[in-house]
Amino acid sequence: MSIINGDSDARLAVTAAQAGAAVARDLHGGRLARYDKSAGDFATEADHAAERAILQVLRAARPDDAVTGEESGRSGAADAHRRWLVDPLCGTLNYAVRTMLVGVNVALREGSRVTAAATADPFGGGVFWTDGETAWVREDGADERLTPSAESTLVDVNLDPPFPNAPGFQAARLLADPGFAARFRPRVISSTLALAWVAAGRRAAYVTDGDLRDSVHFAAGIALCRAAGCTVTGLHGEPVLSGANGLVAAADAETHAALLDLVKCQTQQAG
């Protein structure tokens, strides 16, 4: 059964993410126009169409809220207390080559906190969501509480640029570290859907470099992990979102500590 309140921000986040996911499914496999961005990055017509669908849902329900969309940019007051962060298709390259590992991210930031968020899996069918306090997955209309677990030892590592902490930390070197190989098994899905999988117990951890402040890509996944009880910090144990300090999100404190030690060793070796 559903446990989301009827007119809550969490329900709206789920509805908006589902709208974007429906577009992604409908357009998948077709010949789509590409729009170049920078440094080899691009969007497809599916990205733009999914974002339009999401924004239509948000603006109909919360017309006074500000929005930042990956494709359409910022709207509303620059200092708005309530701002929706929208990544309509995380994993565009996967999607463009018909690899069904993508996520649709919608998050609401109120002040400095994300108070509602959803990550939809267009092809897996589930929607991972949080009201900022607890985290759930909705499948076939029913909601199940997310339970993190490090049992799989699978760790997703984001290899996409930029790398603001290089040469001290480089994700590719982390994968080659003997200490990493001795304890974990690497995965690279190139989508922040992996963060939802950490919250759900399908991954032990996720590691990325980058500046994640007010990020349309990461806000929903970080909120899911926090609400599920994961251990979430920057690369060196500092508060996440405090600068260009990347992210280590782990199912438990032990896994998190092991990954921080590996990052620390890498940084010391680079120095």
Side-chain angles (χ1 to χ4, degrees), residues 114-157:
V114 172
T115 56
T119 294
D121 179 349
F123 304 106
V127 183
F128 305 88
W129 66 272
T130 179
D131 57 4
E133 302 296 333
T134 56
W136 307 79
V137 60
R138 168 168 289 194
E139 295 179 307
D140 299 324
D143 294 311
E144 180 181 349
R145 188 79 171 259
L146 296 184
T147 304
S149 170
E151 183 178 1
S152 71
T153 72
L154 298 175
V155 176
D156 260 294
V157 180

Side-chain angles (χ1 to χ4, degrees), residues 36-103:
D36 289 333
K37 295 184 178 180
S38 60
D41 192 15
F42 66 91
T44 70
E45 178 54 33
D47 296 73
H48 287 269
E51 184 163 310
R52 288 194 296 269
I54 292 168
L55 296 186
Q56 184 176 13
V57 171
L58 296 178
R59 287 170 174 160
R62 304 286 192 271
D64 296 329
D65 288 356
V67 177
T68 298
E70 181 180 10
E71 309 306 334
S72 59
R74 295 169 67 90
S75 64
D79 60 349
H81 180 70
R82 288 172 55 93
R83 178 172 293 276
W84 293 90
L85 305 172
V86 175
D87 181 359
L89 194 57
C90 187
T92 297
L93 180 55
N94 283 347
Y95 184 87
V97 297
R98 304 187 184 185
T99 299
M100 297 181 182
L101 291 172
V102 300

Side-chain angles (χ1 to χ4, degrees), residues 84-250:
W84 293 90
L85 305 172
V86 175
D87 181 359
L89 194 57
C90 187
T92 297
L93 180 55
N94 283 347
Y95 184 87
V97 297
R98 304 187 184 185
T99 299
M100 297 181 182
L101 291 172
V102 300
V104 177
N105 296 317
V106 178
L108 172 64
R109 175 180 56 72
E110 292 190 84
S112 61
R113 291 185 63 241
V114 172
T115 56
T119 294
D121 179 349
F123 304 106
V127 183
F128 305 88
W129 66 272
T130 179
D131 57 4
E133 302 296 333
T134 56
W136 307 79
V137 60
R138 168 168 289 194
E139 295 179 307
D140 299 324
D143 294 311
E144 180 181 349
R145 188 79 171 259
L146 296 184
T147 304
S149 170
E151 183 178 1
S152 71
T153 72
L154 298 175
V155 176
D156 260 294
V157 180
N158 181 16
L159 300 181
D160 292 335
F163 308 117
N165 288 284
F169 170 80
Q170 291 181 288
R173 291 203 342 256
L174 179 65
L175 295 177
D177 190 302
F180 185 95
R183 178 159 184 165
F184 302 113
R185 295 294 176 266
R187 291 293 183 273
V188 182
I189 73 164
S190 299
S191 167
T192 52
L193 180 62
L195 270 173
W197 289 354
V198 175
R202 303 180 191 179
R203 290 289 191 267
Y206 178 90
V207 181
T208 186
D209 199 354
D211 189 337
L212 278 52
R213 289 171 292 187
D214 237 9
S215 170
V216 298
H217 307 290
F218 290 95
I222 289 172
L224 285 166
C225 285
R226 282 174 162 166
C230 300
T231 304
V232 182
T233 70
L235 288 170
H236 307 289
E238 67 274 61
V240 71
L241 306 182
S242 60
N245 57 356
L247 170 70
V248 178

